[in-house]
Amino acid sequence: MVDRPNKPQALVTTPGLPHKPRSTSHMTTLAWKDRAGNERLWLSDAAKLDGSKAVRGGIPLVFPVFGTAPDHEPTSKLPQHGFARNSRWDFLGKSTTESSGQTDASVKLDFGLSKATITDEAKKLWPFSFSLIYSVTLTPDALRTGIVITNDGDQPFEFQTLLHTYFRIGDINKVSVSGLEDAAYIDKVDGAKEKQQAGDVSIAGEVDRVYHPANPSTPVVISEGGESKFSIVRETLGDVVVWNPWTEKAQGMGDFEPKDGYKNMICVEAGSVKGFTKLEAGDAYSGEQVITV
Ligand code: TA6
């Protein structure tokens, strides 16, 4: 076969896991610097990076449940946001594409988790046969993170999944989020009431909302002082959570530092969390976000 220039290196992309993982890590993208070297994700100064607790910041991966689901028997015993973000994942491989110009260079890392590699405790709480491949792709102007979920068993299971992205911003008081206008949402700060979004979302206090935009292909844009900072395009992930803990909740989280750090972050989280997605035996689900700066 003629070797073509810039051929990506071999990459393990099937749901199967390598026999001997090269390295393992917890599943949170911790940092992302843009081409100018600016850090674009928020990470708490008190974030636990030793695996003792979910990382406060970056992009923790939520699976197989969002929040807790006491009324959903199969996931009712799982910890908040499920086990994926606290599990040790296998590094599956890396692929790079060189670039003639500066526009299409990319590096992609794949990580794997499956029933065979989660803890016995997690298996007890959620005994289904599954495989996850989590991919992180960096290009000069974008970060893509995506998940492929495979049902390796002989019975269906239901799941929720979400990319819990902590965006770094300069001043929350100058931030607005567009692309959610007219979307129905559940307001978790107001008795989980169902509401409809009028215009852009602004933050002047604790906000914890689960949006279900009518048109999932509309980009969600985070602007500051009228200038677009992040554009988020979603594939399959039909819901968007917007969260800012504000003063009281920030005060109450031991791993949230500095305490006024809520002024410099906003979570805009792409996910499939309205109800549960059913995955039949042998089927696969994939969802991705592309964040452009
Ligand atoms: O995504 C918003 C949310 O569900 C909030 O309700 C808040 O609990 C946040 O996630 C952080 O959750 P964590 O388990 O990481 O403290």
Side-chain angles (χ1 to χ4, degrees), residues 54 56 66 80-81 85 162 164 166 188 208 241 243 253 269:
R56 179 66 60 204
F66 172 66
Q80 159 108 331
H81 292 339
R85 63 178 182 167
L162 172 130
H164 201 294
Y166 287 73
K188 291 166 68 175
D208 195 351
V241 173
W243 178 58
M253 290 185 278
E269 311 159 18

Side-chain angles (χ1 to χ4, degrees), residues 30 35 41 61 91 103 116 154 175 193 211 250 272 281:
L30 293 178
R35 67 162 72 212
L41 298 178
L61 174 67
F91 175 58
T103 52
D154 54 10
V175 163
K193 281 190 194 127
Y211 285 89
S272 288

Side-chain angles (χ1 to χ4, degrees), residues 7 15 20 23 30 52 85 103 119 121 132 150 163 165 170 201 203 205 207 218-219 223 227 236 240 261 269 281 291:
K7 187 173 76 170
K20 195 171 67 61
S23 73
L30 293 178
S52 59
R85 63 178 182 167
T103 52
T119 63
E121 192 214 351
L132 302 184
T150 306
L163 304 165
T165 313
V201 181
I203 313 283
V207 167
T218 305
S223 299
E227 185 190 338
T236 317
V240 178
E269 311 159 18
I291 308 167

Side-chain angles (χ1 to χ4, degrees), residues 69-96:
D71 302 335
H72 184 259
E73 198 285 323
T75 58
S76 56
K77 303 178 199 66
L78 290 173
Q80 159 108 331
H81 292 339
F83 51 73
R85 63 178 182 167
N86 282 331
S87 294
R88 296 198 72 78
W89 289 60
D90 296 321
F91 175 58
L92 299 182
K94 166 184 163 189
S95 77
T96 57

